[in-house]
């Protein structure tokens, strides 16, 4: 009898210890299906508002997923890719990373990123839930290498006060612009005539990024093909269309619609001394925080045959690990898909979410401006996935297009030279 009682007491005591241990595990943040919490390192390159928004999303994800915890490490944009490539090569890369779509070809070529299809299938990721234009830009040879979370395209902003003064703001609060290339030129001419001399009709940089983005957009609107062949080995600029787009922009400078050698075209628009400007959607948050600036946002006008613009995307990648861990990989792709599903938070900085379903969320619709240009995600024209794209841009396209904007070369000569220079880059 005493022996039975002792045995019973021991069984109760052991059961109590087990239940207590289970309770402590849940209080420690919960457990995964395997009974273990998964902690993932995440390298990002975001600062300012982007950095704050991403951290807020990470905090929310961690709260909702106690069995998966994301640790964010913020790196400087200028050194991010070099550090990522080096770390993965040394076997010390993060579990999750960020890549621009334009940088993916380099990372794939250097063996930095993993294909995602198998792990995405096991985690139940539905590729059909993404904007297919953005998604297809992250595929190489039919393999998905990244989860797009946005696109940040080239769009147009306008000053409502100045357009009203010039009689060019409609009752719907949008610019009154006649269709086509001539219609847009006439719109700028009216701004020049109706507004004071100290007002810039069209704020745009005198060189490099933004005039290049406008040229790329107009070249694509004309139906121009990519500047390299499908096999990524030959320059194939459609010279007639490239010249036409370049001449149109050159004339905007020559007609003084764009301020000559504008030292800070952002400040020009922000201070209320420019009627319109074109740049990336990342400026939306800046303009919203500018007191007294009454502005609107819209896709760049369709001047030629089809809607198109320049753009890039932020994506989430899974760097190649030193040692494969299926639980970590599945947790990482779950996080990436969650970020895309909750793009209404990420859109605060102005980015267009990568999932169309997010555009219907009340939180997204309640934010001003974003819905006015959300459809641009369908018309972004991405480069072909070449490892030479950045060299082509900097060493060939910027170089000769800048000569056109400065009126130092004819469009015909500059585009011909650009074609030759692109081939030199490809041959290296």
């Amino acid at each position: 009898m005493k022996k039975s009682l002792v045995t019973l007491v021991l069984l109760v005591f052991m059961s109590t210890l087990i239940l207590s241990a289970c309770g402590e595990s849940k209080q420690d943040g919960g457990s995964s299906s395997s009974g273990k919490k998964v902690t993932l390192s995440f390298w990002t390159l975001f600062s300012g508002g982007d950095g704050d928004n991403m951290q807020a999303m990470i905090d929310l994800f961690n709260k909702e997923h106690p069995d998966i915890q994301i640790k964010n490490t913020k790196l400087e944009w200028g050194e991010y890719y070099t550090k990522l490539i080096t770390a993965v090569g040394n076997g010390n890369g993060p579990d999750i990373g960020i890549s621009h779509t334009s940088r993916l070809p380099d990372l794939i070529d250097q063996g930095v990123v993993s294909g995602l299809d198998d792990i995405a299938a096991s985690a139940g990721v539905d590729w059909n839930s993404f904007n297919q234009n953005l998604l297809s830009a992250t595929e190489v040879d039919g393999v998905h290498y990244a989860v797009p979370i946005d696109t940040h395209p080239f769009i147009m902003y306008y000053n409502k006060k100045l357009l009203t003064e010039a009689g060019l703001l409609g009752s719907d609060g949008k610019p009154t612009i006649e269709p086509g290339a001539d219609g847009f030129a006439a719109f700028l001419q009216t701004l020049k005539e109706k507004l004071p001399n100290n007002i810039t009709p069209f704020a745009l940089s005198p060189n490099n990024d933004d005039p290049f983005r406008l040229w790329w957009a107009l070249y694509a609107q004309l139906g121009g093909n990519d500047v390299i062949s499908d096999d990524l080995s030959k320059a194939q600029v459609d010279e007639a269309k490239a010249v036409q787009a370049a001449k149109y922009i050159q004339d905007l400078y020559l007609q003084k619609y764009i301020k000559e050698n504008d030292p800070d075209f952002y400040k020009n628009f922000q201070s209320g001394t420019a009627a319109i400007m074109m740049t990336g959607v990342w400026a939306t948050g800046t303009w919203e925080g500018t007191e007294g600036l009454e502005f609107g946002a819209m896709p760049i006008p369709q001047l030629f045959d089809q809607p198109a613009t320049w753009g890039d995307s932020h994506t989430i990648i899974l760097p190649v690990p030193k040692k494969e861990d299926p639980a970590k990989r599945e947790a990482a792709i779950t996080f990436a898909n969650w970020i895309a599903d909750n793009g209404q938070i990420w859109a605060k900085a102005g980015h267009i979410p990568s999932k169309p379903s997010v555009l219907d969320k009340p939180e997204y619709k309640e934010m001003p401006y974003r819905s006015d240009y959300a459809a641009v995600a369908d018309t972004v024209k991405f480069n072909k996935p070449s490892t030479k794209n950045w060299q082509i841009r900097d060493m060939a396209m910027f170089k000769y297009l800048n000569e056109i904007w400065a009126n130092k070369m004819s469009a015909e000569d500059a585009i011909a030279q650009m074609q030759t220079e692109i081939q030199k880059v490809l041959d290296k």
Side-chain angles (χ1 to χ4, degrees):
M1 180 71 178
K2 287 183 179 181
K3 185 175 181 180
S4 299
L5 182 60
V6 170
T7 300
L8 179 61
V9 170
L10 285 172
L11 286 172
V12 171
F13 180 70
M14 290 175 66
S15 298
T16 302
L17 287 177
I18 292 170
L19 289 172
S20 177
C22 291
E24 287 173 2
S25 175
K26 290 180 182 292
Q27 290 173 0
D28 191 42
S31 60
S32 65
S33 57
S34 63
K36 297 179 181 178
K37 181 192 291 184
V38 178
T39 299
L40 303 173
S41 58
F42 181 28
W43 283 14
T44 63
L45 42 63
F46 303 119
S47 59
D50 276 353
D52 294 340
N53 291 333
M54 180 54 71
Q55 187 58 56
M57 297 183 80
I58 291 169
D59 292 342
L60 182 58
F61 177 87
N62 286 344
K63 183 178 179 180
E64 292 183 1
H65 299 77
D67 56 338
I68 306 172
Q69 295 298 288
I70 309 298
K71 303 295 184 183
N72 182 18
T73 298
K74 299 180 184 180
L75 279 69
E76 293 294 326
W77 192 97
E79 61 186 23
Y80 173 82
Y81 287 103
T82 300
K83 286 192 173 183
L84 177 66
I85 292 167
T86 301
V88 173
N90 293 334
N92 298 313
D95 299 305
I96 316 170
I98 289 289
S99 174
H100 290 82
T101 291
S102 58
R103 294 280 185 172
L104 272 176
D106 295 314
L107 300 182
I108 295 168
D109 182 65
Q110 297 190 54
V112 173
V113 295
S114 306
L116 302 179
D117 290 298
D118 289 343
I119 194 66
S122 66
V125 175
D126 180 7
W127 293 121
N128 292 320
S129 66
F130 290 85
N131 178 292
Q132 294 303 296
N133 185 41
L134 308 185
L135 184 69
S136 63
T138 68
E139 295 178 55
V140 177
D141 296 330
V143 177
H144 295 93
Y145 281 96
V147 176
I149 62 173
D150 70 33
T151 184
H152 39 279
F154 189 69
I155 66 168
M156 185 173 118
Y157 296 97
Y158 53 94
N159 184 303
K160 291 186 175 182
K161 286 183 178 179
L162 293 176
L163 264 61
T164 298
E165 187 177 336
L168 291 172
L169 192 72
S171 58
D172 59 356
K174 297 179 180 180
T176 303
I177 306 174
E178 293 300 316
D182 290 341
F184 185 65
F187 169 78
L188 293 175
Q189 180 63 30
T190 301
L191 289 172
K192 184 179 178 182
E193 292 173 354
K194 297 286 187 180
L195 296 175
N197 291 335
N198 68 323
I199 300 298
T200 303
F202 181 4
L204 191 71
S205 168
N207 51 42
N208 293 341
D209 291 282
D210 282 304
F212 160 74
R213 290 164 179 156
L214 178 57
W215 174 82
W216 178 261
L218 299 188
Y219 177 64
Q221 288 188 7
L222 285 162
N225 46 248
D226 203 324
V227 297
I228 59 176
S229 59
D230 288 343
D231 66 3
L232 311 179
S233 67
K234 300 293 183 184
Q236 64 162 30
V237 180
D238 187 329
E239 292 195 28
K241 291 172 181 175
V243 167
Q244 184 178 351
K247 277 187 170 180
Y248 185 86
I249 299 169
Q250 183 185 41
D251 196 53
L252 300 182
Y253 287 101
L254 293 175
Q255 294 297 325
K256 309 297 183 184
Y257 299 141
I258 301 170
K259 184 178 180 178
E260 189 174 5
N261 297 318
D262 194 338
D264 190 342
F265 76 109
Y266 266 63
K267 185 176 181 181
N268 194 352
F269 185 78
Q270 189 172 21
S271 64
T273 55
I276 70 165
M277 78 168 294
M278 292 184 189
T279 192
V281 297
W282 51 79
T284 300
T286 301
W287 307 149
E288 285 179 310
T290 302
E291 186 175 354
L293 181 61
E294 295 182 22
F295 74 97
M298 60 178 281
I300 66 168
Q302 181 183 333
L303 305 188
F304 298 111
D305 302 332
Q306 59 195 41
T309 193
W310 173 94
D312 205 344
S313 293
H314 293 117
T315 74
I316 292 180
I317 55 172
L318 273 57
V320 173
K322 184 176 182 179
K323 182 181 179 182
E324 191 70 31
D325 185 333
K328 277 194 168 187
R329 305 297 271 178
E330 186 166 329
I333 197 76
T334 297
F335 168 73
N337 193 51
W338 184 94
I339 291 291
D341 278 334
N342 289 274
Q344 72 279 3
I345 303 174
W346 188 234
K348 289 179 180 179
H351 308 303
I352 302 173
S354 62
K355 290 200 175 189
S357 60
V358 175
L359 306 181
D360 293 325
K361 290 187 176 184
E363 303 96 314
Y364 181 81
K365 289 184 174 182
E366 287 169 3
M367 287 187 286
Y369 314 112
R370 278 78 174 167
S371 295
D372 294 331
Y373 58 77
V376 176
D378 294 328
T379 60
V380 171
K381 178 71 171 179
F382 291 94
N383 292 107
K384 288 177 181 172
S386 169
T387 60
K388 301 291 184 69
N389 280 336
W390 285 84
Q391 293 168 274
I392 289 170
R393 189 200 71 166
D394 293 347
M395 298 170 65
M397 301 172 86
F398 277 5
K399 179 179 179 180
Y400 289 103
L401 290 174
N402 286 346
E403 294 294 288
I404 300 172
W405 317 146
N407 204 32
K408 293 180 179 179
M409 289 183 75
S410 70
E412 290 84 356
D413 288 346
I415 296 300
Q417 289 293 321
M418 186 174 79
Q419 179 107 274
T420 301
E421 199 67 33
I422 290 172
Q423 190 61 54
K424 288 181 181 178
V425 172
L426 292 171
D427 290 341
K428 288 180 181 178

